[in-house]
Amino acid sequence: MKTLKGKIRNTFTGIPLLGWLIGALMAVVLEHFFGDVLSDILGLPKIPVLFGFVIMLKKPLLIPGALGYVLLTYLIPVGVIAKVSAPVANRLAEKFFDLSLTLTVLLHLMFIYAILHLWSDVSAYRVLTLKLTLIAIMVTLSLNVVNGYMGEFSCSHPGFMALGAYAASTVTVVLFVNDKLFGPALLTPVLGPFMFPIALIIGGCVAALGALAIAVPSFRTRGDYLAIISLAFMFIVKSMIENLEVVGGPRGLSNQPDVANLPTVFMWTVACIWIINNFVRSTLGKALNAVRDDEMAANSMTVDTRRTKIIAFLFAAFWAGVAGGLFAHVLRYVNPGTFGLQKLAEVLAMVYFGGLNSVYGSIVGAVSLSLLGEALRPLEIFKWIFIPLLLILVMIFRPTGLIAFKEFNVKNLLKPKKRN
Amino acid sequence: MSHDFGGLRAVNNYDLEIEGGQIRGLIGPNGAGKTTIFNLITGIYKPTEGEIILGGKRITGLQPHRVASMGLGRTFQNLQLWRHMTVHEHVKMARYSKITYGLIGAFFGTPKRNREEEEIDKKAYALLEMMGIHHLADQIVINLPYGDQRRVEMARALAMDPKILLLDEPTAGMNPEELIQMMAIIRQVHKELGLAIFLIEHRLKVVMELCEIIQTLDFGRVIAEGTPEEIQNNPKVIDAYLGREALD
Ligand SMILES: Nc1ncnc2c1ncn2[C@@H]1O[C@H](COP(=O)(O)OP(=O)(O)OP(=O)(O)O)[C@@H](O)[C@H]1O
Ligand SMILES: [Mg+2]
């Protein structure tokens, strides 16, 4: 057993990230062309949408077929192609690496986007799941800035999302849509996609403004006021929107223009990861860790602790607001009920499951719990037993989460791998 | 200055004047109020009465980070390090107030930021080298032995380019060998950086050897002040401090 594991590990050590991406790209191309035929042969009604999970839970008889499908379209092609292409991938990665890090990053991002695009092209359901997963990454990461990097406990993220969602939606609906609530469009809808980033930034800023209302009283003195004040804030935002008839009250706000396509969501997610990662790796951002680990020492080492906390909190709220704006435009409908306790539990679970103080952790937490939530959908109510159980297990064996306190070093991630 | 905790007068009519480049010592039995004096000077507490003046400027009541960036570096008696951060990150952090790249630099990784971070990197390494712990730069600080942690605190305090360095029992908990090394480091720092040092110590040997002038504190009150010889021979000191120590 041990030697087998060692063998497998040995086989795959020399493969750079680029190699895996080439493998994955080939796999989704294969699925694109032969997915239907293969599922026919394996006796599946259609291409399994989420790696066969849904089918397996719904119809246990189809388990072998679904497993075979996953093996034949994903695991084997990815493994084999990654292995075979490793020398080429290494050379390519090396070339780009010597040229410039920015170009290398762009190359990888292009590959990742191509993979996601082709994979999700198979069904509208996949596109939606993918977009929501990307948004979940943004929300999780931004909450990690507060709860992980800064070590406070904030509960207001659904509130920030709501502010962002409603602010951005109001902007786009007023400007570009003939709407019952807001009247005729003020600008031609052609401009919509170009103005959308501005609408999102407005959404983010409104959320940050809301955050200021929490930050000023909470960070004035030391103590655990933040948890309570932020929780109250979340409920206040929710009931405020419910009572605001201008934006539809409890019925919600719909008719958002269709501007949040996959490339847009993808680019915003990448921007969010990049900027947050830049921040937390700078000395200004590491001040958050210093404040968390020993505030008095940080203060005595010239760190303006109060300013640091407030800025980080507003920064996190901004990204939650942007994510909320995207969320509203992906679904093209929002209602205040979405941004309540359940959303809070979801986001907190992603942060603590993935790992505190870690960009990797937030990505892993958001992706795995989003996909798991979708995959277990057929279990209905039992889903809410299974997922908390999983969380409890993680908390027992890894109290800070799966991948906590790990730096997201892009250079190390992308560099070519030499065989040792 | 004076300071009260509730009804307890922890510091009573304390007065101190440090000139540039001096090494001064503060001794006294447990609970005499020595650490409280440090906390008053560095802005962690605000004195109930009195004033603190640094280089002609009144700093009473300023936030600790403001006081610190004006040139008061300190270490803590019971090590206050950041448990998830590396040695190198500790030293860099103390440059916080000198960073000029701002939030734009932090968010977007501008060339200015990279340049500045590199400068701080170098500066931090130089200080770690001076403390003889550069080989530990990438270690998480809580994994280090006690003596090395004390050196990290010292390097961190020096990274903010202080005019006055306040050391709260820098040799506490050290074995004789580490103690000698630490004294050598304090001397070296004093000579190379030319800063004033204000030192709290429990071990008389250390203050007697290092300091030009020593104050003795008992129940928040200065009971004696003078050169090491004067202090050693002062009957009040012997009574309040040495005598009690001898009884223990
Ligand atoms: N935050 C506080 N609140 C109330 N009382 C305090 C506080 N800090 C210190 N004291 C009290 O003030 C007195 C002086 O304490 P301080 O820590 O300054 O003594 P010290 O001279 O540094 O002693 P040691 O040698 O043990 O370090 C003690 O009686 C202590 O109990
Ligand atoms: Mg003390």
Side-chain angles (χ1 to χ4, degrees):
Chain A
M1 190 62 207
K2 211 168 194 176
T3 51
L4 183 67
K5 213 168 154 191
K7 240 184 200 159
I8 291 177
R9 175 165 293 177
N10 242 340
T11 323
F12 292 118
T13 40
I15 303 175
L17 183 66
L18 195 60
W20 292 111
L21 293 181
I22 293 174
L25 186 62
M26 290 304 152
V28 290
V29 169
L30 268 180
E31 181 177 50
H32 207 74
F33 288 113
F34 303 109
D36 286 318
V37 184
L38 187 63
S39 12
D40 241 17
I41 295 173
L42 293 170
L44 302 170
K46 58 179 180 18
I47 295 180
V49 278
L50 272 185
F51 310 105
F53 277 115
V54 184
I55 288 190
M56 289 197 262
L57 286 172
K58 264 191 191 150
K59 303 199 177 112
L61 274 182
L62 293 179
I63 286 180
L67 282 180
Y69 184 88
V70 171
L71 205 64
L72 286 176
T73 35
Y74 299 119
L75 295 182
I76 292 179
V78 171
V80 170
I81 293 169
K83 179 72 193 160
V84 171
S85 69
V88 183
N90 262 325
R91 230 171 302 141
L92 193 62
E94 214 171 300
K95 273 240 173 66
F96 269 86
F97 223 67
D98 291 342
L99 214 56
S100 102
L101 185 62
T102 320
L103 281 181
T104 320
V105 171
L106 287 179
L107 176 76
H108 283 80
L109 286 176
M110 267 163 51
F111 264 93
I112 294 172
Y113 180 74
I115 294 165
L116 295 178
H117 187 99
L118 285 173
W119 179 79
S120 64
D121 220 20
V122 168
S123 73
Y125 172 73
R126 274 192 186 177
V127 179
L128 182 64
T129 310
L130 181 57
K131 284 181 188 169
L132 292 180
T133 305
L134 290 172
I135 291 170
I137 292 178
M138 297 175 73
V139 182
T140 308
L141 191 53
S142 67
L143 184 61
N144 206 342
V145 170
V146 179
N147 287 30
Y149 288 92
M150 190 158 91
E152 298 273 349
F153 195 89
S154 166
C155 303
S156 45
H157 256 52
F160 298 147
M161 280 182 80
L163 288 177
Y166 272 87
S169 299
T170 310
V171 172
T172 56
V173 174
V174 167
L175 291 181
F176 305 113
V177 182
N178 297 315
D179 186 76
K180 285 199 295 293
L181 275 171
F182 294 117
L186 296 179
L187 295 173
T188 149
V190 182
L191 285 175
F194 301 101
M195 289 289 287
F196 186 45
I198 296 174
L200 287 179
I201 290 172
I202 292 175
C205 291
V206 171
L209 217 64
L212 195 63
I214 303 179
V216 170
S218 315
F219 298 141
R220 173 161 317 149
T221 46
R222 304 193 54 191
D224 302 320
Y225 300 115
L226 183 64
I228 297 159
I229 296 182
S230 61
L231 191 64
F233 177 84
M234 185 188 85
F235 287 119
I236 291 171
V237 169
K238 190 163 160 257
S239 56
M240 189 188 76
I241 296 173
E242 271 164 2
N243 290 301
L244 217 60
E245 280 302 323
V246 211
V247 291
R251 274 162 290 118
L253 182 60
S254 56
N255 245 341
Q256 282 88 341
D258 187 9
V259 282
N261 51 14
L262 187 59
T264 308
V265 180
F266 181 74
M267 278 189 310
W268 276 99
T269 311
V270 170
C272 171
I273 296 175
W274 180 63
I275 292 176
I276 291 185
N277 192 43
N278 271 338
F279 179 57
V280 297
R281 293 187 65 195
S282 72
T283 300
L284 283 187
K286 291 220 167 104
L288 289 178
N289 295 352
V291 168
R292 172 196 63 203
D293 287 349
D294 191 324
E295 186 166 346
M296 179 172 154
N299 215 213
S300 296
M301 297 304 139
T302 75
V303 177
D304 187 343
T305 52
R306 179 148 185 252
R307 177 171 166 268
T308 301
K309 285 198 226 175
I310 292 181
I311 286 174
F313 196 67
L314 298 200
F315 178 62
F318 173 84
W319 284 111
V322 170
L326 283 169
F327 181 79
H329 286 82
V330 164
L331 297 179
R332 303 185 63 195
Y333 168 73
V334 269
N335 69 354
T338 318
F339 305 106
L341 273 179
Q342 187 176 340
K343 188 100 211 150
L344 176 64
E346 232 176 85
V347 186
L348 283 175
M350 287 173 187
V351 172
Y352 287 89
F353 178 78
L356 292 174
N357 202 94
S358 151
V359 173
Y360 279 121
S362 284
I363 296 175
V364 168
V367 171
S368 51
L369 287 191
S370 295
L371 293 187
L372 201 66
E374 283 304 318
L376 298 182
R377 204 174 270 269
L379 288 183
E380 288 167 20
I381 191 82
F382 292 107
K383 183 172 126 178
W384 296 114
I385 298 175
F386 189 81
I387 291 180
L389 217 62
L390 191 75
L391 272 175
I392 291 170
L393 281 179
V394 169
M395 288 296 119
I396 291 173
F397 291 107
R398 276 179 170 254
T400 47
L402 284 182
I403 315 178
F405 296 99
K406 192 164 159 54
E407 261 202 16
F408 187 66
N409 189 333
V410 179
K411 221 169 171 170
N412 280 344
L413 186 68
L414 304 187
K415 73 174 179 220
K417 299 258 165 66
K418 293 205 183 62
R419 296 228 65 164
N420 35 7
Chain B
M1 61 186 178
S2 300
H3 189 65
D4 299 336
F5 288 119
L8 174 79
R9 176 139 287 207
V11 175
N12 197 348
N13 274 328
Y14 179 77
D15 186 35
L16 169 76
E17 212 169 298
I18 303 186
E19 280 159 34
Q22 257 187 344
I23 304 189
R24 313 246 331 195
L26 181 63
I27 59 174
N30 280 333
K34 305 182 294 296
T35 301
T36 307
I37 287 175
F38 267 28
N39 288 341
L40 287 168
I41 297 176
T42 55
I44 288 170
Y45 305 140
K46 190 171 181 245
T48 318
E49 281 163 28
E51 289 203 275
I52 304 150
I53 288 157
L54 178 66
K57 265 193 232 111
R58 193 170 164 273
I59 58 168
T60 330
L62 286 187
Q63 290 281 313
H65 67 91
R66 296 279 307 281
V67 176
S69 48
M70 287 169 81
L72 271 180
R74 73 170 292 180
T75 64
F76 296 92
Q77 178 174 1
N78 42 356
L79 295 170
Q80 298 198 357
L81 295 165
W82 300 303
R83 55 194 302 262
H84 293 102
M85 289 167 66
T86 66
V87 170
H88 189 221
E89 284 169 353
H90 270 76
V91 184
K92 284 180 76 179
M93 187 52 63
R95 303 292 298 176
Y96 180 93
S97 66
K98 309 255 184 336
I99 289 173
T100 60
Y101 57 70
L103 287 176
I104 300 291
F107 293 158
F108 300 105
T110 56
K112 182 178 159 76
R113 166 214 167 141
N114 295 342
R115 228 178 310 120
E116 236 179 279
E117 289 277 349
E118 226 164 89
E119 267 167 42
I120 316 176
D121 265 353
K122 284 211 196 90
K123 171 129 187 134
Y125 270 115
L127 279 171
L128 290 178
E129 219 160 342
M130 190 172 176
M131 294 293 132
I133 46 172
H134 51 286
H135 57 289
L136 302 172
D138 293 324
Q139 300 273 334
I140 298 292
V141 81
I142 44 165
N143 298 336
L144 301 182
Y146 197 73
D148 288 336
Q149 292 192 355
R150 286 240 172 254
R151 291 173 192 223
V152 175
E153 275 230 341
M154 189 99 141
R156 181 175 71 171
L158 288 173
M160 46 207 245
D161 293 335
K163 296 194 201 82
I164 305 178
L165 182 63
L166 305 174
L167 302 173
D168 198 344
E169 304 206 12
T171 67
M174 285 187 165
N175 61 35
E177 193 189 332
E178 287 174 326
L179 183 115
I180 289 168
Q181 287 173 355
M182 184 45 91
M183 284 173 64
I185 287 177
I186 294 174
R187 278 209 189 89
Q188 186 194 358
V189 164
H190 180 241
K191 211 168 83 195
E192 285 182 19
L193 305 177
L195 34 75
I197 295 179
F198 186 32
L199 184 76
I200 293 179
E201 254 305 336
H202 236 89
R203 308 199 205 201
L204 285 174
K205 178 169 168 284
V206 179
V207 253
M208 296 295 166
E209 270 186 42
L210 286 175
C211 301
E212 298 156 37
I213 299 177
I214 300 169
Q215 286 179 325
T216 310
L217 203 68
D218 195 20
F219 294 114
R221 204 184 281 275
V222 177
I223 54 169
E225 182 163 356
T227 61
E229 293 79 43
E230 288 168 6
I231 290 292
Q232 242 162 342
N233 300 322
N234 188 319
K236 274 198 209 154
V237 178
I238 295 169
D239 183 42
Y241 189 78
L242 304 176
R244 242 178 271 166
E245 193 114 296
L247 280 180
D248 285 344

